[in-house]
Amino acid sequence: GVESFAHGDAFRLVDVPGVPRDVLLTTSRELFEHGLGAEDRRRLHFATYGDPVFEKLLDYMLQPYEAVLAAWQTRKPLSALQLGGQRWATTDDLLESELPEGGEIKLVARAQRLPGRQDDRVGRQQKVMLDAAAANLAEQKLKPTPDTPNNQIAELDRFRGDVSQRHGQRVHLKFDAPDRNGMLALKDTLLWPVREKAVGLQVDADPLLLSATRDVIYRQLGDMKKDSRTGHEVARRLRESAASMS
């Protein structure tokens, strides 16, 4: 269900495989930056590519349930959910109703279709930007010699803490993209707008972006053999991942 906080709303995830029950997901930057509050010990994640909880939710939603899979592939905006002759247009209506037993769930699409291609391009370029920016950070903040994932990520965590204490909580992060022109064409639609510099691209990295890139790097470290966990090798693999998305 949805929970409201002083700085925004968050969705409580329940029964998602691999996700603990004390995890919340939000699309509010303000809530993510301010947190849930000193007394709330639950973990808060931001719904964006690269976040492990968000990607586990996507994986779960894309399991072979035909109606959900078809809706995701065609990207049709929905007007209602239908079950047993009843329709619900909002989450509030659904939560206040008693669901009929049995029957097939149907997702009712709106008459007008949204252009899914644009959404795909934005999502793809967002993932490219995360991988490319993470590669840059890996080269700067990870050790050149192999080490455990926790030891490798420690310097990046210290850097994130330092940025959070700065006025404005921003740091200029330089990176490059395999398709620079393609990313610049969508620069104002990305979660973190990018701009072109003399060499490569630049984004103003806030705590949210640094957390997302940190998760990308940490997950990459976990997928590697211990002898190859170096800053150079992590950066190389992340750049290969970015290139494969272009």
Side-chain angles (χ1 to χ4, degrees), residues 124-133 135 175-184 200-201 235-246:
R124 187 166 59 251
Q125 290 294 350
Q126 186 68 63
K127 182 65 167 62
V128 169
M129 190 268 282
L130 278 175
D131 283 347
F175 67 99
D176 206 355
D179 181 11
R180 191 184 301 178
N181 291 334
M183 183 169 291
L184 287 172
L201 302 170
R236 184 186 69 80
R237 296 192 184 193
L238 290 175
R239 289 194 176 103
E240 286 183 353
S241 175
S244 69
M245 295 288 294
S246 299

Side-chain angles (χ1 to χ4, degrees), residues 79-99:
S79 63
L81 182 146
Q82 180 174 309
L83 175 63
Q86 298 185 44
R87 285 193 179 191
W88 300 273
T90 68
T91 304
D92 290 339
D93 292 341
L94 182 61
L95 293 175
E96 293 173 359
S97 303
E98 291 188 9
L99 299 181

Side-chain angles (χ1 to χ4, degrees), residues 136 173-177 180-181 183-184 194-203:
N136 180 281
L173 183 59
K174 295 180 181 179
F175 67 99
D176 206 355
R180 191 184 301 178
N181 291 334
M183 183 169 291
L184 287 172
V194 302
R195 54 185 175 275
E196 189 171 20
K197 288 296 181 180
V199 179
L201 302 170
Q202 180 176 295
V203 61

Side-chain angles (χ1 to χ4, degrees), residues 34-42:
H34 285 83
L36 302 175
E39 297 181 357
D40 198 324
R41 301 297 183 183
R42 293 175 296 178

